[in-house]
Amino acid sequence: MSELRTEICDILGITYPILQGGMGPYKTEELAIAVANAGALGVISSIGMAATLLPEAAPIDAARLFGDDPPRVILRKSIENVTERVKQSNGVVGVNVPVAAEFLLASKMFVEETIQAREENSDIERTLRVIVTSAGNPKPWAEIKKHGLTWIHVVPSVYHAKKAESAGADIIVASGHEGGAHVSWDPVHSMVLVPAVAKAVNVPVVAAGGFCDGRTLAAALVLGAKGIQMGTRFIATQESDFEQIWKDAIVQKEERETLTGRGIFGPMRFVRNQRAERIVEQTLDDVPRFYLGEPVESNESILKLERDGFTDLVDAIPETALMFGGECVGRIQDLPTVDTLIQSVIKETHQILQDTQKFLYS
Ligand SMILES: Cc1cc2nc3c(=O)[nH]c(=O)nc-3n(C[C@H](O)[C@H](O)[C@H](O)COP(=O)(O)O)c2cc1C
């Protein structure tokens, strides 16, 4: 087992500088367990759990994914299960809470539940050490730190990174436009975003959007990041909670086969199929509104996503399933176990950094 430690490892108590991105609509419970047991940061995703509050508006079959429990109970059970199954390996996990304006009541509920779960159970307190907020204003969330948690915030620009730093975030994830699912209206890609954010803030930066192997982890370190967050790559693993149809799509698609169109809050990057193409057509109807500065993110956008009728992934065919994924679908060709993946990323990072020395002329 090779070593690769950065500041991120010390702050989070993990072995490798790799974070698993939060990924709704699933709880990513099995994935978080596998990632934490493999020495990286496993993350439970909360966004889909909130869909149980508004089943008629949500573009997922909330009851199938989560049963009848209310969102707080779904999250608590998930935290308990993950804690139980990673405590032997001293694995570390976090909870991802999107804090978009459309979502604030649910965000508050999930943050409170996470804090409470830690206060009531010392195993959870040892294991669950992180809250990762995303997709919204960081300012109201600084109190997370008062409860002994490390606070990570995800941003799409230098402006938002500075805002997160002044709000008190411990770590900033700079997420480029290549990434899967929600992306910013302003399309800044990782190659420009990551070094710009690393230069602009003093807290450690983690790179997201397009990172999927040792070559890209090595690149992230060179760009000034102290680690990477991977979403799309982790979907295509044996343990991930995603449907087989979604895993297969990630493996089969090439790098041109993603599209951005309007999502639930802001644009999303979809795996390209007929369904995604229809969403992009609908989005183009709204582009003039966006350029005129009118708000385009509202409940209406959720309903619009749903207008075609959601095809449950259990019975879906590849052209009609609603699936999100980043541009790195074009760089993913296998379905390894999480442990095999992480070991190969670390090994390859060492190799790439060494080889780079060799081909440089002195
Ligand atoms: C299917 C999918 C669902 C996602 N859902 C969330 C989410 O609920 N919350 C969040 O903060 N980020 C979400 N993301 C973004 C990831 O956490 C991560 O930042 C992103 O995938 C990184 O880019 P990559 O896909 O190129 O690895 C999602 C990404 C994907 C692919």
Side-chain angles (χ1 to χ4, degrees):
M1 291 222 291
S2 29
E3 287 266 311
L4 188 84
R5 294 189 68 80
T6 72
E7 205 180 340
I8 295 289
C9 301
D10 296 334
I11 297 172
L12 299 175
I14 53 180
T15 310
Y16 303 115
I18 298 175
L19 281 52
Q20 171 228 318
M23 286 189 286
Y26 298 88
K27 292 184 272 186
T28 58
E29 207 170 298
E30 294 302 319
L31 184 57
I33 291 164
V35 172
N37 283 334
L41 183 77
V43 173
I44 298 169
S45 309
S46 67
I47 190 167
M49 301 176 189
T52 53
L53 293 173
L54 278 174
E56 66 292 345
I60 58 167
D61 182 347
R64 180 180 70 79
L65 285 179
F66 304 110
D68 297 331
D69 287 332
R72 270 182 188 271
V73 177
I74 300 169
L75 179 60
R76 177 65 75 103
K77 284 184 179 169
S78 193
I79 290 172
E80 285 168 358
N81 179 34
V82 171
T83 300
E84 201 48 43
R85 291 170 57 196
V86 308
K87 72 180 184 203
Q88 236 172 350
S89 71
N90 290 322
V92 180
V93 295
V95 173
N96 168 237
V97 183
V99 293
E102 291 83 350
F103 204 65
L104 283 181
L105 284 179
S107 319
K108 197 162 175 290
M109 176 175 68
F110 290 135
V111 166
E112 279 171 10
E113 189 61 31
T114 305
I115 290 168
Q116 211 174 320
R118 291 181 86 244
E119 282 168 358
E120 290 172 11
N121 179 322
S122 58
D123 283 339
I124 294 177
E125 191 184 11
R126 263 192 303 279
T127 305
L128 201 177
R129 300 195 206 157
V130 183
I131 289 185
V132 184
T133 52
S134 56
N137 180 8
K139 286 261 175 332
W141 305 101
E143 67 153 83
I144 285 171
K145 297 190 354 159
K146 291 196 194 129
H147 299 271
L149 284 148
T150 299
W151 175 31
I152 304 180
H153 189 72
V154 184
V155 302
S157 73
V158 168
Y159 168 81
H160 293 97
K162 287 184 174 165
K163 211 167 152 184
E165 183 180 43
S166 74
D170 296 303
I171 295 171
I172 290 173
V173 175
S175 183
H177 208 252
E178 299 91 331
H182 280 106
V183 287
S184 168
W185 283 110
D186 304 303
V188 185
H189 291 76
S190 299
M191 182 66 96
V192 169
L193 181 71
V194 174
V197 170
K199 189 173 174 199
V201 297
N202 293 313
V203 293
V205 171
V206 167
F211 299 90
C212 57
D213 57 4
R215 188 169 289 282
T216 44
L217 172 50
L221 299 176
V222 173
L223 290 174
K226 300 295 191 307
I228 55 171
Q229 168 163 296
M230 300 196 290
T232 303
R233 173 64 270 194
F234 276 127
I235 294 176
T237 55
Q238 293 293 322
E239 296 93 331
S240 100
D241 314 62
F242 286 70
E243 306 291 345
Q244 192 62 38
I245 190 175
W246 201 322
K247 297 184 185 186
D248 292 344
I250 302 288
V251 170
Q252 286 158 11
K253 297 284 175 181
E254 49 139 273
E255 80 281 3
R256 291 175 301 171
E257 291 182 296
T258 66
L259 285 175
T260 51
R262 199 168 72 171
I264 294 164
F265 34 84
M268 291 182 109
R269 186 174 294 282
F270 300 94
V271 172
R272 184 171 192 146
N273 60 9
Q274 287 168 12
R275 180 75 194 277
E277 285 165 6
R278 273 210 305 281
I279 289 171
V280 171
E281 275 167 29
Q282 292 176 342
T283 307
L284 290 175
D285 294 344
D286 284 327
V287 167
R289 283 175 60 200
F290 171 62
Y291 280 106
L292 287 171
E294 285 182 38
V296 287
E297 293 162 19
S298 62
N299 274 348
E300 194 197 319
S301 60
I302 301 178
L303 295 173
K304 201 156 189 181
L305 248 186
E306 208 236 353
R307 196 163 294 161
D308 284 333
F310 180 72
T311 311
D312 197 305
L313 289 170
V314 170
D315 302 317
I317 58 165
E319 283 305 318
T320 56
L322 179 66
M323 297 181 285
F324 325 126
E327 290 176 10
C328 67
V329 290
R331 304 202 57 242
I332 297 168
Q333 277 100 30
D334 56 0
L335 268 178
T337 64
V338 166
D339 189 59
T340 305
L341 172 66
I342 289 178
Q343 287 304 316
S344 82
V345 169
I346 298 302
K347 200 166 154 216
E348 192 190 23
T349 307
H350 282 292
Q351 194 63 53
I352 298 285
L353 292 172
Q354 264 174 27
D355 290 353
T356 307
Q357 295 296 319
K358 283 189 220 144
F359 67 66
L360 289 173
Y361 293 111
S362 51

